[in-house]
Amino acid sequence: MQNLSPQELAWIATARPPTPSPLRWGKALCGLALALLWLLPFSYVLLAIFKSSAEYAASAPLSLPASAAPLLDNIRMAWEQAGMAQAMLNSTLYAGIGAALAVLLGAMAAYPLARMRFPLRNLWFLLLFAGTVFPFQMYLIPLFFGFQWAELLDTRLGMCLLYTAICIPFPVLVLRNYMQNLSLEIDQAARLDGASELILFWRIILPNLRGPMSAVFLLQFTWIWNDMLFSSVLGNSPETRSIMNALLVFQGSYAQSGPNIMLTAAVLASLPTLLLFVLLRRQFMQGLRVS
């Protein structure tokens, strides 16, 4: 400020921020209206979890609760009756191991497809990605009999292997595209210095993929956490049941507890993925950027 001339200081003192145009105000109002419309179902859920079963049955759905005291009782009832402790542990195991292994193996598969030259390279990529073309319901019957034959049916190991295999094609597609945008001169310089392909991949390529790998991990973790199709068919016992399958069983077994208890359980089941997104939000946004 000391190096500015008196004319420049006077201009700064009298300068005013630009007045928003009517079009900009209109976009802001439309965005606000869409946000409120999107949040309307959540307002119903948040109001319901603060009500006791008697209050929920006697009051209107969008009426304000009398107090916040019933929340702790609703959480305790949902946690105990739905068996959420074991179900959350299982889902954390499936989603964490399945998504992490899928991203790592997907990166290892994407590396030669993007950075090496070999015959039928595009054909191998199409074969890896072909599994996502067909609906997952087609795999249920062969998977069921295959798991039964391998004695993996209704086991945590079988569920982890299943989710890892299913989630590999998407990381291959995403990470292959990012690896293709990295300069090939990096590989040439590393090979001239005597680096092997493993060192090149592990120490040079992977550090440049932290953003997209975090984004893909978050997406795959959320998909596994929310999956109900495979968990209800291949892992339906209380010991191996996932959180979404536990909510499905809870809705049928404890319907007399009231919708407020069921909604409380649903909110509790949504917290881990929300927390993970908050922790990885910076890496997630970096991974969505186009190089």
Short mmCIF file of all heavy atoms in Angstrom, two decimals, residues 200-243:
data_model
loop_
_atom_site.label_atom_id
_atom_site.label_comp_id
_atom_site.label_asym_id
_atom_site.label_seq_id
_atom_site.Cartn_x
_atom_site.Cartn_y
_atom_site.Cartn_z
N LEU A 200 9.28 -48.36 -10.70
CA LEU A 200 8.66 -47.30 -11.50
C LEU A 200 7.18 -47.15 -11.15
O LEU A 200 6.68 -46.02 -10.97
CB LEU A 200 8.84 -47.59 -12.99
CG LEU A 200 8.17 -46.65 -13.98
CD1 LEU A 200 8.67 -45.23 -13.81
CD2 LEU A 200 8.40 -47.13 -15.41
N PHE A 201 6.51 -48.27 -11.05
CA PHE A 201 5.08 -48.22 -10.72
C PHE A 201 4.85 -47.76 -9.29
O PHE A 201 4.00 -46.89 -9.04
CB PHE A 201 4.47 -49.61 -10.93
CG PHE A 201 3.07 -49.76 -10.38
CD1 PHE A 201 1.99 -49.18 -11.02
CD2 PHE A 201 2.85 -50.47 -9.20
CE1 PHE A 201 0.70 -49.31 -10.50
CE2 PHE A 201 1.57 -50.60 -8.68
CZ PHE A 201 0.50 -50.02 -9.33
N TRP A 202 5.61 -48.30 -8.34
CA TRP A 202 5.33 -48.07 -6.93
C TRP A 202 5.80 -46.69 -6.45
O TRP A 202 5.13 -46.05 -5.64
CB TRP A 202 5.98 -49.17 -6.10
CG TRP A 202 5.49 -49.23 -4.68
CD1 TRP A 202 6.09 -48.73 -3.57
CD2 TRP A 202 4.26 -49.79 -4.23
NE1 TRP A 202 5.33 -48.96 -2.46
CE2 TRP A 202 4.20 -49.61 -2.84
CE3 TRP A 202 3.21 -50.45 -4.88
CZ2 TRP A 202 3.12 -50.07 -2.07
CZ3 TRP A 202 2.14 -50.90 -4.12
CH2 TRP A 202 2.10 -50.70 -2.74
N ARG A 203 6.93 -46.22 -6.93
CA ARG A 203 7.52 -44.99 -6.41
C ARG A 203 7.30 -43.76 -7.28
O ARG A 203 7.46 -42.64 -6.81
CB ARG A 203 9.03 -45.18 -6.21
CG ARG A 203 9.39 -46.23 -5.16
CD ARG A 203 10.88 -46.25 -4.92
NE ARG A 203 11.24 -47.24 -3.90
CZ ARG A 203 12.49 -47.47 -3.48
NH1 ARG A 203 13.49 -46.77 -4.01
NH2 ARG A 203 12.72 -48.39 -2.57
N ILE A 204 6.93 -43.97 -8.54
CA ILE A 204 6.78 -42.81 -9.44
C ILE A 204 5.34 -42.65 -9.91
O ILE A 204 4.78 -41.56 -9.84
CB ILE A 204 7.73 -42.96 -10.65
CG1 ILE A 204 9.18 -42.99 -10.16
CG2 ILE A 204 7.51 -41.82 -11.64
CD1 ILE A 204 10.20 -43.18 -11.26
N ILE A 205 4.73 -43.73 -10.37
CA ILE A 205 3.38 -43.62 -10.93
C ILE A 205 2.34 -43.47 -9.82
O ILE A 205 1.50 -42.56 -9.86
CB ILE A 205 3.06 -44.84 -11.81
CG1 ILE A 205 4.05 -44.94 -12.97
CG2 ILE A 205 1.63 -44.74 -12.34
CD1 ILE A 205 4.04 -43.74 -13.88
N LEU A 206 2.37 -44.34 -8.81
CA LEU A 206 1.35 -44.30 -7.76
C LEU A 206 1.30 -42.96 -7.01
O LEU A 206 0.21 -42.47 -6.72
CB LEU A 206 1.56 -45.45 -6.77
CG LEU A 206 1.04 -46.82 -7.20
CD1 LEU A 206 1.12 -47.79 -6.03
CD2 LEU A 206 -0.37 -46.75 -7.73
N PRO A 207 2.44 -42.34 -6.64
CA PRO A 207 2.34 -41.03 -5.96
C PRO A 207 1.63 -39.96 -6.78
O PRO A 207 1.08 -39.01 -6.20
CB PRO A 207 3.81 -40.66 -5.71
CG PRO A 207 4.51 -41.97 -5.62
CD PRO A 207 3.83 -42.85 -6.64
N ASN A 208 1.62 -40.09 -8.10
CA ASN A 208 0.92 -39.12 -8.94
C ASN A 208 -0.56 -39.43 -9.09
O ASN A 208 -1.27 -38.69 -9.77
CB ASN A 208 1.56 -39.09 -10.34
CG ASN A 208 2.93 -38.43 -10.33
OD1 ASN A 208 3.05 -37.21 -10.28
ND2 ASN A 208 3.97 -39.24 -10.35
N LEU A 209 -1.02 -40.52 -8.48
CA LEU A 209 -2.41 -40.95 -8.62
C LEU A 209 -3.15 -40.93 -7.28
O LEU A 209 -4.18 -41.60 -7.14
CB LEU A 209 -2.48 -42.36 -9.21
CG LEU A 209 -1.92 -42.54 -10.62
CD1 LEU A 209 -1.98 -44.00 -11.01
CD2 LEU A 209 -2.68 -41.69 -11.63
N ARG A 210 -2.65 -40.19 -6.30
CA ARG A 210 -3.30 -40.19 -4.99
C ARG A 210 -4.72 -39.62 -5.08
O ARG A 210 -5.64 -40.14 -4.45
CB ARG A 210 -2.47 -39.38 -4.00
CG ARG A 210 -1.15 -40.04 -3.63
CD ARG A 210 -0.34 -39.15 -2.71
NE ARG A 210 0.94 -39.77 -2.37
CZ ARG A 210 1.90 -39.17 -1.67
NH1 ARG A 210 1.71 -37.93 -1.23
NH2 ARG A 210 3.03 -39.80 -1.41
N GLY A 211 -4.90 -38.56 -5.84
CA GLY A 211 -6.22 -37.95 -5.97
C GLY A 211 -7.23 -38.89 -6.61
O GLY A 211 -8.26 -39.20 -6.01
N PRO A 212 -6.98 -39.37 -7.83
CA PRO A 212 -7.96 -40.29 -8.45
C PRO A 212 -8.12 -41.60 -7.69
O PRO A 212 -9.23 -42.15 -7.64
CB PRO A 212 -7.39 -40.52 -9.85
CG PRO A 212 -5.98 -40.08 -9.79
CD PRO A 212 -5.91 -39.00 -8.77
N MET A 213 -7.07 -42.12 -7.06
CA MET A 213 -7.22 -43.35 -6.29
C MET A 213 -8.10 -43.12 -5.07
O MET A 213 -8.91 -43.99 -4.71
CB MET A 213 -5.85 -43.88 -5.87
CG MET A 213 -5.03 -44.44 -7.02
SD MET A 213 -3.41 -45.09 -6.52
CE MET A 213 -3.90 -46.53 -5.58
N SER A 214 -7.97 -41.97 -4.42
CA SER A 214 -8.84 -41.65 -3.28
C SER A 214 -10.28 -41.51 -3.72
O SER A 214 -11.20 -41.98 -3.04
CB SER A 214 -8.35 -40.36 -2.60
OG SER A 214 -7.05 -40.51 -2.10
N ALA A 215 -10.50 -40.85 -4.86
CA ALA A 215 -11.86 -40.68 -5.37
C ALA A 215 -12.49 -42.03 -5.72
O ALA A 215 -13.64 -42.30 -5.36
CB ALA A 215 -11.85 -39.76 -6.59
N VAL A 216 -11.73 -42.89 -6.39
CA VAL A 216 -12.25 -44.21 -6.76
C VAL A 216 -12.50 -45.05 -5.51
O VAL A 216 -13.50 -45.76 -5.41
CB VAL A 216 -11.29 -44.91 -7.73
CG1 VAL A 216 -11.72 -46.33 -7.98
CG2 VAL A 216 -11.23 -44.15 -9.05
N PHE A 217 -11.59 -44.97 -4.53
CA PHE A 217 -11.79 -45.73 -3.29
C PHE A 217 -13.06 -45.30 -2.59
O PHE A 217 -13.83 -46.14 -2.10
CB PHE A 217 -10.59 -45.53 -2.38
CG PHE A 217 -10.77 -46.13 -1.00
CD1 PHE A 217 -10.56 -47.48 -0.80
CD2 PHE A 217 -11.16 -45.35 0.07
CE1 PHE A 217 -10.73 -48.04 0.46
CE2 PHE A 217 -11.34 -45.89 1.33
CZ PHE A 217 -11.12 -47.25 1.52
N LEU A 218 -13.31 -44.00 -2.53
CA LEU A 218 -14.51 -43.50 -1.87
C LEU A 218 -15.77 -43.97 -2.59
O LEU A 218 -16.74 -44.41 -1.95
CB LEU A 218 -14.48 -41.98 -1.80
CG LEU A 218 -15.69 -41.30 -1.15
CD1 LEU A 218 -15.87 -41.78 0.28
CD2 LEU A 218 -15.51 -39.78 -1.17
N LEU A 219 -15.76 -43.94 -3.91
CA LEU A 219 -16.93 -44.39 -4.68
C LEU A 219 -17.17 -45.89 -4.50
O LEU A 219 -18.31 -46.33 -4.31
CB LEU A 219 -16.73 -44.06 -6.15
CG LEU A 219 -16.73 -42.56 -6.52
CD1 LEU A 219 -16.39 -42.38 -7.99
CD2 LEU A 219 -18.07 -41.92 -6.21
N GLN A 220 -16.10 -46.68 -4.53
CA GLN A 220 -16.25 -48.13 -4.39
C GLN A 220 -16.63 -48.50 -2.96
O GLN A 220 -17.43 -49.41 -2.74
CB GLN A 220 -14.96 -48.84 -4.80
CG GLN A 220 -14.55 -48.59 -6.24
CD GLN A 220 -15.63 -49.02 -7.22
OE1 GLN A 220 -16.56 -48.28 -7.52
NE2 GLN A 220 -15.52 -50.21 -7.74
N PHE A 221 -16.08 -47.81 -1.97
CA PHE A 221 -16.44 -48.05 -0.58
C PHE A 221 -17.93 -47.78 -0.37
O PHE A 221 -18.63 -48.58 0.28
CB PHE A 221 -15.61 -47.15 0.34
CG PHE A 221 -15.81 -47.39 1.80
CD1 PHE A 221 -14.95 -48.20 2.51
CD2 PHE A 221 -16.87 -46.79 2.48
CE1 PHE A 221 -15.15 -48.43 3.87
CE2 PHE A 221 -17.08 -47.01 3.83
CZ PHE A 221 -16.21 -47.83 4.54
N THR A 222 -18.42 -46.67 -0.92
CA THR A 222 -19.83 -46.33 -0.76
C THR A 222 -20.72 -47.35 -1.45
O THR A 222 -21.77 -47.73 -0.93
CB THR A 222 -20.09 -44.93 -1.33
OG1 THR A 222 -19.23 -43.99 -0.69
CG2 THR A 222 -21.53 -44.51 -1.10
N TRP A 223 -20.30 -47.82 -2.64
CA TRP A 223 -21.12 -48.81 -3.34
C TRP A 223 -21.20 -50.12 -2.56
O TRP A 223 -22.28 -50.71 -2.43
CB TRP A 223 -20.54 -49.08 -4.73
CG TRP A 223 -21.37 -50.04 -5.51
CD1 TRP A 223 -22.47 -49.78 -6.27
CD2 TRP A 223 -21.19 -51.47 -5.58
NE1 TRP A 223 -22.98 -50.94 -6.81
CE2 TRP A 223 -22.23 -51.99 -6.40
CE3 TRP A 223 -20.26 -52.35 -5.03
CZ2 TRP A 223 -22.34 -53.34 -6.68
CZ3 TRP A 223 -20.38 -53.70 -5.30
CH2 TRP A 223 -21.40 -54.19 -6.12
N ILE A 224 -20.07 -50.59 -2.06
CA ILE A 224 -20.08 -51.83 -1.27
C ILE A 224 -20.89 -51.65 0.00
O ILE A 224 -21.66 -52.54 0.40
CB ILE A 224 -18.63 -52.27 -0.95
CG1 ILE A 224 -17.88 -52.58 -2.24
CG2 ILE A 224 -18.63 -53.49 -0.04
CD1 ILE A 224 -16.41 -52.87 -2.02
N TRP A 225 -20.74 -50.51 0.66
CA TRP A 225 -21.48 -50.26 1.90
C TRP A 225 -22.99 -50.28 1.65
O TRP A 225 -23.75 -50.79 2.49
CB TRP A 225 -21.05 -48.92 2.47
CG TRP A 225 -21.64 -48.61 3.82
CD1 TRP A 225 -22.84 -48.01 4.08
CD2 TRP A 225 -21.06 -48.90 5.09
NE1 TRP A 225 -23.05 -47.89 5.43
CE2 TRP A 225 -21.96 -48.43 6.07
CE3 TRP A 225 -19.87 -49.48 5.50
CZ2 TRP A 225 -21.71 -48.53 7.45
CZ3 TRP A 225 -19.62 -49.58 6.86
CH2 TRP A 225 -20.52 -49.13 7.80
N ASN A 226 -23.42 -49.76 0.54
CA ASN A 226 -24.85 -49.67 0.25
C ASN A 226 -25.40 -50.89 -0.48
O ASN A 226 -26.61 -50.94 -0.75
CB ASN A 226 -25.14 -48.42 -0.59
CG ASN A 226 -24.89 -47.14 0.17
OD1 ASN A 226 -25.04 -47.09 1.39
ND2 ASN A 226 -24.51 -46.09 -0.54
N ASP A 227 -24.56 -51.86 -0.81
CA ASP A 227 -25.03 -53.02 -1.55
C ASP A 227 -25.94 -53.89 -0.68
O ASP A 227 -25.64 -54.17 0.48
CB ASP A 227 -23.85 -53.86 -2.03
CG ASP A 227 -24.31 -55.16 -2.67
OD1 ASP A 227 -24.97 -55.10 -3.73
OD2 ASP A 227 -24.04 -56.23 -2.09
N MET A 228 -27.04 -54.31 -1.27
CA MET A 228 -27.96 -55.23 -0.60
C MET A 228 -28.17 -56.50 -1.42
O MET A 228 -28.53 -57.54 -0.87
CB MET A 228 -29.31 -54.54 -0.37
CG MET A 228 -30.28 -55.34 0.47
SD MET A 228 -31.88 -54.51 0.66
CE MET A 228 -31.38 -53.04 1.53
N LEU A 229 -27.93 -56.44 -2.71
CA LEU A 229 -28.21 -57.57 -3.59
C LEU A 229 -27.35 -58.78 -3.24
O LEU A 229 -27.85 -59.86 -2.93
CB LEU A 229 -27.99 -57.15 -5.05
CG LEU A 229 -28.17 -58.25 -6.10
CD1 LEU A 229 -29.62 -58.72 -6.14
CD2 LEU A 229 -27.73 -57.74 -7.47
N PHE A 230 -26.02 -58.61 -3.29
CA PHE A 230 -25.13 -59.74 -3.07
C PHE A 230 -25.09 -60.16 -1.60
O PHE A 230 -24.99 -61.35 -1.29
CB PHE A 230 -23.71 -59.40 -3.54
CG PHE A 230 -23.61 -59.25 -5.03
CD1 PHE A 230 -23.48 -57.99 -5.60
CD2 PHE A 230 -23.64 -60.35 -5.87
CE1 PHE A 230 -23.39 -57.84 -6.97
CE2 PHE A 230 -23.55 -60.21 -7.24
CZ PHE A 230 -23.43 -58.95 -7.79
N SER A 231 -25.17 -59.18 -0.71
CA SER A 231 -25.08 -59.53 0.71
C SER A 231 -26.30 -60.31 1.19
O SER A 231 -26.20 -61.16 2.07
CB SER A 231 -24.93 -58.25 1.55
OG SER A 231 -26.07 -57.41 1.40
N SER A 232 -27.48 -60.03 0.61
CA SER A 232 -28.68 -60.75 1.03
C SER A 232 -28.75 -62.17 0.47
O SER A 232 -29.47 -63.01 1.00
CB SER A 232 -29.93 -59.98 0.59
OG SER A 232 -29.97 -59.84 -0.82
N VAL A 233 -27.97 -62.47 -0.58
CA VAL A 233 -27.98 -63.80 -1.18
C VAL A 233 -26.78 -64.63 -0.74
O VAL A 233 -26.92 -65.82 -0.44
CB VAL A 233 -28.01 -63.69 -2.73
CG1 VAL A 233 -27.91 -65.07 -3.37
CG2 VAL A 233 -29.28 -62.99 -3.18
N LEU A 234 -25.62 -64.01 -0.67
CA LEU A 234 -24.39 -64.76 -0.41
C LEU A 234 -23.89 -64.64 1.03
O LEU A 234 -22.93 -65.33 1.38
CB LEU A 234 -23.28 -64.27 -1.36
CG LEU A 234 -23.62 -64.36 -2.85
CD1 LEU A 234 -22.49 -63.77 -3.69
CD2 LEU A 234 -23.88 -65.81 -3.26
N GLY A 235 -24.50 -63.78 1.84
CA GLY A 235 -24.06 -63.63 3.22
C GLY A 235 -25.20 -63.19 4.10
O GLY A 235 -25.22 -62.05 4.56
N ASN A 236 -26.12 -64.09 4.39
CA ASN A 236 -27.37 -63.71 5.04
C ASN A 236 -27.44 -64.12 6.51
O ASN A 236 -28.44 -63.84 7.18
CB ASN A 236 -28.56 -64.33 4.30
CG ASN A 236 -29.87 -63.62 4.60
OD1 ASN A 236 -29.87 -62.43 4.93
ND2 ASN A 236 -30.97 -64.33 4.54
N SER A 237 -26.42 -64.78 7.05
CA SER A 237 -26.46 -65.15 8.46
C SER A 237 -26.14 -63.94 9.33
O SER A 237 -25.50 -62.98 8.86
CB SER A 237 -25.46 -66.27 8.74
OG SER A 237 -24.13 -65.80 8.59
N PRO A 238 -26.55 -63.93 10.60
CA PRO A 238 -26.25 -62.77 11.46
C PRO A 238 -24.76 -62.50 11.61
O PRO A 238 -24.37 -61.35 11.85
CB PRO A 238 -26.90 -63.17 12.80
CG PRO A 238 -27.97 -64.14 12.44
CD PRO A 238 -27.44 -64.90 11.26
N GLU A 239 -23.92 -63.52 11.48
CA GLU A 239 -22.48 -63.32 11.65
C GLU A 239 -21.84 -62.63 10.45
O GLU A 239 -20.83 -61.95 10.60
CB GLU A 239 -21.78 -64.67 11.89
CG GLU A 239 -22.11 -65.33 13.22
CD GLU A 239 -23.50 -65.96 13.21
OE1 GLU A 239 -24.04 -66.17 12.09
OE2 GLU A 239 -24.04 -66.25 14.30
N THR A 240 -22.38 -62.81 9.26
CA THR A 240 -21.79 -62.23 8.05
C THR A 240 -22.68 -61.18 7.41
O THR A 240 -22.32 -60.63 6.37
CB THR A 240 -21.53 -63.34 7.02
OG1 THR A 240 -22.77 -63.99 6.70
CG2 THR A 240 -20.56 -64.37 7.56
N ARG A 241 -23.78 -60.85 8.00
CA ARG A 241 -24.75 -59.91 7.42
C ARG A 241 -24.18 -58.50 7.35
O ARG A 241 -23.58 -58.01 8.31
CB ARG A 241 -26.01 -59.95 8.26
CG ARG A 241 -27.19 -59.18 7.73
CD ARG A 241 -28.38 -59.40 8.65
NE ARG A 241 -28.85 -60.79 8.57
CZ ARG A 241 -29.57 -61.38 9.52
NH1 ARG A 241 -29.89 -60.71 10.63
NH2 ARG A 241 -29.98 -62.62 9.36
N SER A 242 -24.37 -57.82 6.21
CA SER A 242 -23.93 -56.43 6.06
C SER A 242 -24.94 -55.49 6.69
O SER A 242 -26.04 -55.89 7.09
CB SER A 242 -23.73 -56.10 4.58
OG SER A 242 -24.99 -56.07 3.91
N ILE A 243 -24.59 -54.21 6.75
CA ILE A 243 -25.45 -53.25 7.43
C ILE A 243 -26.76 -53.05 6.67
O ILE A 243 -27.83 -52.93 7.28
CB ILE A 243 -24.70 -51.90 7.63
CG1 ILE A 243 -25.55 -50.92 8.43
CG2 ILE A 243 -24.27 -51.31 6.30
CD1 ILE A 243 -25.88 -51.38 9.81
#
